Amino acid sequence: MRVIAKKILRDFWEEKNDSKEQLKTWYKEASKAIWLSPNDIKAAYLQASILKSGRVVFNICGNRYRLIVRINYPRRWVFIRFIGTHAEYDKIDADKI
């Protein structure tokens, strides 16, 4: 998969250093993955939440942080849409961000 907007992750882990290793690992795994459907994601990430419009929510650092991506499965693109604390996540509409 081609992960678009790694800078968003980098900016976040520079601010929240405890997320750095998990976000780097997620990025590396996502970049090497071939996700053809939400089922492929659920097979690798049991705790991931599949939302509407190709969006997926990943729990980072034991659910301390939430990562929302939008996936274009045919083109194999993963767009970073949001990374933030659980409290920040609760204030947004994950289906529309």
Side-chain angles (χ1 to χ4, degrees):
M1 304 298 288
R2 181 170 178 217
V3 180
I4 311 287
K6 181 181 180 182
K7 183 179 183 328
I8 294 170
L9 298 179
R10 191 178 312 116
D11 290 347
F12 186 81
W13 78 52
E14 286 176 3
E15 181 181 327
K16 308 278 190 193
N17 200 295
D18 62 329
S19 69
K20 183 175 184 176
E21 291 308 313
Q22 282 199 10
L23 287 173
K24 281 185 166 186
T25 298
W26 178 89
Y27 179 83
K28 182 189 265 186
E29 291 173 359
S31 295
K32 292 180 180 179
I34 299 173
W35 293 328
L36 302 176
S37 74
N39 292 335
D40 294 332
I41 295 170
K42 288 298 277 186
Y45 295 93
L46 295 175
Q47 299 301 316
S49 299
I50 308 300
L51 305 179
K52 301 174 191 173
S53 305
R55 285 174 174 73
V56 180
V57 180
F58 294 93
N59 298 325
I60 305 296
C61 293
N63 205 21
R64 187 176 313 133
Y65 307 115
R66 294 279 180 99
L67 170 64
I68 302 173
V69 301
R70 193 181 111 244
I71 300 178
N72 182 315
Y73 294 99
R75 293 185 185 247
R76 297 185 181 164
W77 292 343
V78 177
F79 298 91
I80 306 296
R81 303 299 298 150
F82 171 86
I83 178 73
T85 65
H86 203 293
E88 292 167 334
Y89 171 84
D90 288 341
K91 295 177 183 175
I92 64 164
D93 184 346
D95 285 314
K96 294 182 180 176
I97 195 162

